[in-house]
Structures are given as C-alpha cells and as structure tokens.
Amino acid sequence: MNAKLGQLLLDSGIITDKQLEEALTLQGKDGGRLGYHLVNINAISEPDLNQYLARQQSIDAINLDETEVDPDVLALIPSEIAWRYEVIPLERDGRTLVVAMTDPHNLFAVDDLRFSLGMEIEPHICASSMVRRAISKFYKEGEAIVPVDGDDKAGGTIDTSLVEASGEADEMTEMLIGDEVFESMIVDDDDDDEIDEEDLSLELSDSPVVKLVNSLIADAVRRGASDIHFEPFERFVRVRFRIDGVLHEVMRPSRRYRSAMVSRLKILGGMDIAEHNLPQDGRQKVRVGDRFVDMRLATLPTLFGEKVEVRLLDRSTVLLDLDTLGFEEEPLKEFRKSIIRPFGIVLVTGPTGCGKTTTLYSALTELNHISVNIMTAENPVEFNLKGINQVQMKEEIGLTFANALRAYLRQDPDIIMVGEIRDKETSEIAIRAALTGHLVLSTTHTNDAPSTINRLIDIGTEPFMLSTSLVCVASQRLIRKLCPQCRTEIDIPSETLQEAGIDPERFKDVTFYEGTGCSYCNNTGYKGRMGIFEVMTIDEELRQLIESDANSIQIEKAALSKGMINLREAALRKLERGETSFEEVIKETIASF
C-alpha cells in the first residue's frame, strides 16, 4: 500500500523522488505510515494527502480540522481505543457510527468497534497526522482500572499511585473503573466450551473478560444507565442497559464467556462464585473518572445459566432537592406541610424504580438540622446522608424493619425513616411511633395514593389506628423528558385524545411535541426523566372514610373533590408545557374515572 501511495503521488507530480526516498527512510527508521512522514517533511499537505488516500483506497475522506464532533458521539469511543486504532467518531445515525480512521481496511479494528459498541461502523479515511492531532485535542489521557484500596480481589498487579483517596468510610471496596480495551468476543455458535471458574485465578485482571465487564460498567455510567442486565441464552449472553427507564441491547458476547462474566461480577460484588443454584446479592462502590457509583448486584439461576442484574446509583447525578423532582406547585406545598409536622406518618408509594427513595432522601435532606435526631432503617442503604443515622437491615441475623424500629424508639429520635412497610408488625410499630410524638417516613408498593389505605388494612393494620396516625400519602411515577435537541411539533387528532380520556377542548390551543431522535439522546427522542406526583393529605372526612373501611374508589373521589391532583393530571400539565410526549403520558398513567 505504501509503495502504491508513494508511486501515485510521484506520478501525479505532488512529490519528488528525493522526498519519497527521504520519507521511506524515516519510515524504515521510526515506523508509522508513509503519508505521516510525507506530511512531516512538508512534501504534501494533509488535505491533499487525504484526497489521494481516498482515491487510492476508494473510500470517502474527511478533513478533521474542519469537522465539529458532538461530545456525546465522541464519548462512544474511549480514548485508549481511539489511540490504539487511530480512530475518531464523527456522527451517529441510528445504529450506524461514522468514524474517521487512518486505516479503514483494518478489519480487526472495525470488527472490534462493531462488537464493543453494538453498532455498524462506516469508516472514512483521514491522514494519520490529522487523526492523531484530533485525538490529542478531543481526548484526555485514558484512565486505569484499579481498586481504590489497592487490593484487587480478582488478582493482578495494582498501581495504587493512580488512586485518589475518597475520604469516605464504606463497607464496600472502592474501585476505579475507567476506559479499557478488551478483545473481540463475537458470538460463535460452534463454540461449546465455556471458560471455567478455575481459569479466573490466572491473571484475571488482564483477561478479556475483566476488560469487557469493566468497559461495560464504565460505558453504562457514561450513558446514564440505571441498570445493566447480563442475560444468558442458549447461544449468547445478551447485555442490556436501562436508560431513562427503557432497556436497550448493547452487546451479545458468545456463550463461551457466560461463566467467566458471571464469576467476574460475583467477585466484584463479594459473592460466592462456587454457588450457582441459589440467588445471591452483593454490593460494590466504584469510581468512573471523578464520579462515584454504588453498584448493587443480584444473581438469579435461569435455564441457561445465572442472570446478573447490576443496579447503578450514580451519586453525582442525584440532586436531593424537592424542588427539582417534578412536583407541581400545590402538591409540593402540601407535601412540605406534611413533613414539617412534629408527628404522624408520611408515605411515598409507587412501583419499584420510580424514585421513592430519592423523594424520601430529599425530604430528609430538607429536615436535616443539628437540632433534630434522624434515624433510618433501610435495605439497602442507597446513599450516605451526612448527619443522619442510617442502619442497614440484615434479616439473616434478625435485624428487620420491625426490630430496628423497636430499638430506635429507645434512641430518642425525632424523625424515623423506614425503608418499607411490608407487614403488620412493621406497620403497628410505625403507627405506635407516630402516636407517641415521632414523624415517620416510609414507602409502600401501591399503584396510587388512595389504594395505599386498602393495602395497609389488607396486611392487618387496624383502620382506626391508621386514620389517627396517617398524615399524607404521596404516589409517584417517572416519565421521560423530551430531548431538547430534537423536539419537533406534531399534530394529535381530537379523536385520539378522546380515546385516551383527555378533553380535546383543553388542548385545542396546545402545541404537542415528540422527539425524532438524535446523537444527544441516543436516538430515543428522550433525555432524562422527571417525577409526576399525587399528594393526598388526610383530613377529617378521609379519616372517617378510612375508619368506615371505604374502598379506594370512594377515597379517591373524596380526595379529588378537595383538589388533589392525581397522576394523570400531573402528567397532563407537563404535556401542556411541552416537557413530555403524549405517548409517555398514556404509557405511565391511566385515565381517571
């Protein structure tokens, strides 16, 4: 290829024999590409070299000096991979990534990028000197993967000089997760052999499996994922990220790596790698760049091996502030009135993953003061809150929510947070605490605020005790926010609104939007999520309904007649303001009667 390029430039009169000979001599001495040395000796300009490279290799050329690169697109390829393959990502179009490469015919590099990103690669050619200059401009030095405490459970040599002390005490081992190159592990249906656990003891920290798992964790954090799912199937392992509440497939490694990947994740979570038939739970705290992330890992035996779910809790993205959660003005005012009461029970309800803990933490942060004794019973403790006594529940040794509550009442508390009220015993102790002058915050898993009453009665709570202690019930959901970069106006027919239980007259002068998808939002049309809330405060009428064993429909009618904003109404207000889409409102809420 070098001779052809040199001859092409020579025949075109761009360079002289002497310049070609000098460049070939430098190449023989220092290595590298012929074009790179021709540019260095000023035999040819970089734009001219690009043109001739494109002609020689029959591929489109790109001038990086005149190209702007979206930071989100740039983040798709880690710096170490960019340097290794001399590649710069340029533009994302659906599942296709356009890149500038020094050698677009390097099939190994293209395949590695395709595998690691889960995207098709469309290469353009660019002079090596221009690519290197662009990498130096856009990327910082790659980060190493090392444990913060210098003790790598997986084995291997650790460079603790790269580690900065976190200054925080934690039961979990802290690890630094950064950009790491891993080898291609394509799906191979003819490969029946799996890597055994015994293989993991041999320099595991340098193995492709460790590099793959570390890279996936780092990529998930960079993309704002809340969960990673490692799902074993007959011929491959499916890896999916949950981003803004929606799962996206990112990779399908070969089944050959199933056991090794699971074992690596178990080691990270401090679990037993020899146990394959029982579910296990583990935790780990990692650092990705300058971001600290708590990981909760859970395994589950399935037909083709163990499934691993990794919950990512990125401390840097969590703002514990009630004003930023998505409350409408009136519900927020009612919720604040409830949490500043000296005693009573305030409940936050909703399905798993809807942000209940964040709401409670935000309330505690607002209540936290040197003059107040706040204690929490959690399973698990998701974030460390300064100045608040947090206790991790350990049911295997008898430290349950109920037992913790009993102990807390002897610790002179002002405010108690219970992670969840799930049984009669916990409910009764929480009520007793509320009736003896304590404010109790907790959660339940119910679909809306009114149905929470029936749920608590169903688990054995006496209606008269509940009515006298309950102050407020807040139910919530998370809905996706429209991407500000690709938000586009659309028309929604009146018939469609009517079918969804929405009054068309209310929205006759409202502009509807949808996201068309762009590189900023990973082509989803949405970027981030916000909460929708319904806050039901308990007044005398609702207390009488609770004591008379009224059903959730009767309770909801009474609450709505007093001005409660339900989840559908909260979502519609965000739709009116153009913050979310019609599809999101229908998906996350049901029409009120």
Side-chain angles (χ1 to χ4, degrees), residues 84-147:
R84 181 177 183 180
Y85 297 133
E86 292 190 355
V87 58
I88 287 283
L90 301 174
E91 180 183 356
R92 180 174 182 173
D93 183 11
R95 293 184 62 84
T96 299
L97 181 66
V98 179
V99 301
M101 300 182 68
T102 299
D103 184 4
H105 294 294
N106 183 342
L107 298 182
F108 176 80
V110 174
D111 285 343
D112 200 4
L113 290 171
R114 181 183 296 117
F115 167 77
S116 62
L117 299 175
M119 304 173 66
E120 292 300 317
I121 303 300
E122 180 183 318
H124 290 201
I125 197 166
C126 185
S128 178
S129 55
M130 192 178 292
V131 172
R132 292 185 181 186
R133 187 166 59 251
I135 295 175
S136 298
K137 173 184 176 183
F138 292 127
Y139 287 98
K140 296 180 180 179
E141 185 178 353
E143 299 162 342
I145 300 180
V146 295

Side-chain angles (χ1 to χ4, degrees), residues 180-222:
E180 184 69 19
V181 180
F182 51 86
E183 299 176 11
S184 180
M185 303 176 185
I186 61 172
V187 175
D188 184 357
D189 291 345
D190 296 327
D191 189 357
D192 292 327
D193 298 327
E194 293 191 18
I195 295 178
D196 295 329
E197 283 77 11
E198 289 78 4
D199 297 336
L200 297 174
S201 62
L202 303 175
E203 295 298 329
L204 183 59
S205 64
D206 294 325
S207 75
V209 172
V210 173
K211 295 175 182 178
L212 171 63
V213 171
N214 286 347
S215 296
L216 283 169
I217 294 171
D219 186 41
V221 173
R222 281 192 293 265

Side-chain angles (χ1 to χ4, degrees), residues 380-424:
V381 175
E382 296 192 0
F383 293 101
N384 297 330
L385 301 175
K386 292 183 179 180
I388 294 177
N389 303 286
Q390 297 173 270
V391 179
Q392 170 74 48
M393 298 299 96
K394 297 180 180 178
E395 294 189 3
E396 63 273 14
I397 63 172
L399 184 55
T400 63
F401 286 124
N403 290 336
L405 273 175
R406 288 193 188 94
Y408 286 4
L409 294 178
R410 297 190 293 271
Q411 292 288 327
D412 185 34
D414 296 295
I415 300 171
I416 300 173
M417 189 194 97
V418 185
E420 180 183 354
I421 295 178
R422 62 178 69 168
D423 53 49
K424 178 182 178 181

Side-chain angles (χ1 to χ4, degrees), residues 517-585:
C518 64
S519 60
Y520 179 68
C521 62
N522 289 316
N523 290 291
T524 63
Y526 299 92
K527 189 68 173 179
R529 291 189 291 175
M530 57 187 166
I532 53 173
F533 298 84
E534 65 178 18
V535 176
M536 183 177 75
T537 53
I538 309 301
D539 61 6
E540 189 58 37
E541 180 181 350
L542 289 181
R543 287 192 178 92
Q544 291 178 4
L545 287 174
I546 294 172
E547 291 180 9
S548 64
D549 201 18
N551 60 39
S552 60
I553 295 178
Q554 293 171 310
I555 293 173
E556 183 176 9
K557 283 183 177 179
L560 289 173
S561 68
K562 295 177 179 300
M564 181 185 79
I565 297 174
N566 61 14
L567 292 171
R568 168 58 71 94
E569 175 61 26
L572 289 177
R573 292 189 181 188
K574 288 176 168 51
L575 179 64
E576 283 181 303
R577 295 194 292 266
E579 297 174 357
T580 190
S581 68
F582 174 75
E583 289 75 12
E584 260 316 271
V585 171

Side-chain angles (χ1 to χ4, degrees), residues 344-580:
I345 297 177
V346 176
L347 295 176
V348 178
T349 77
T352 301
C354 71
K356 299 187 296 296
T357 301
T358 300
T359 301
L360 285 181
Y361 279 3
S362 299
L364 290 178
T365 300
E366 197 161 294
L367 296 171
N368 192 13
H369 190 270
I370 193 66
S371 62
V372 178
N373 180 18
I374 303 177
M375 307 191 72
T376 75
E378 305 174 61
N379 188 22
V381 175
E382 296 192 0
F383 293 101
N384 297 330
L385 301 175
K386 292 183 179 180
I388 294 177
N389 303 286
Q390 297 173 270
V391 179
Q392 170 74 48
M393 298 299 96
K394 297 180 180 178
E395 294 189 3
E396 63 273 14
I397 63 172
L399 184 55
T400 63
F401 286 124
N403 290 336
L405 273 175
R406 288 193 188 94
Y408 286 4
L409 294 178
R410 297 190 293 271
Q411 292 288 327
D412 185 34
D414 296 295
I415 300 171
I416 300 173
M417 189 194 97
V418 185
E420 180 183 354
I421 295 178
R422 62 178 69 168
D423 53 49
K424 178 182 178 181
E425 186 179 17
T426 306
S427 173
E428 289 179 347
I429 299 173
I431 289 174
R432 192 177 306 126
L435 294 177
T436 54
H438 305 90
L439 179 66
V440 179
L441 307 179
S442 189
T443 72
T444 59
H445 286 83
T446 55
N447 290 324
D448 54 32
S451 63
T452 303
I453 307 298
N454 297 117
R455 165 63 179 161
L456 292 173
I457 294 175
D458 287 342
I459 65 175
T461 307
E462 293 292 342
F464 73 92
M465 294 182 65
L466 184 61
S467 66
T468 55
S469 59
L470 193 61
V471 172
C472 169
V473 182
S475 182
Q476 69 180 83
R477 293 287 190 282
L478 291 177
I479 60 174
R480 293 185 290 174
K481 296 188 290 187
L482 285 170
C483 173
Q485 304 289 342
C486 62
R487 192 181 72 159
T488 305
E489 294 185 14
I490 61 168
D491 292 323
I492 298 179
S494 299
E495 296 77 11
T496 303
L497 294 173
Q498 287 179 329
E499 291 175 2
I502 299 174
D503 181 9
E505 284 298 311
R506 173 178 175 178
F507 288 88
K508 64 180 181 179
D509 297 323
V510 173
T511 302
F512 295 100
Y513 298 90
E514 70 175 4
T516 57
C518 64
S519 60
Y520 179 68
C521 62
N522 289 316
N523 290 291
T524 63
Y526 299 92
K527 189 68 173 179
R529 291 189 291 175
M530 57 187 166
I532 53 173
F533 298 84
E534 65 178 18
V535 176
M536 183 177 75
T537 53
I538 309 301
D539 61 6
E540 189 58 37
E541 180 181 350
L542 289 181
R543 287 192 178 92
Q544 291 178 4
L545 287 174
I546 294 172
E547 291 180 9
S548 64
D549 201 18
N551 60 39
S552 60
I553 295 178
Q554 293 171 310
I555 293 173
E556 183 176 9
K557 283 183 177 179
L560 289 173
S561 68
K562 295 177 179 300
M564 181 185 79
I565 297 174
N566 61 14
L567 292 171
R568 168 58 71 94
E569 175 61 26
L572 289 177
R573 292 189 181 188
K574 288 176 168 51
L575 179 64
E576 283 181 303
R577 295 194 292 266
E579 297 174 357
T580 190

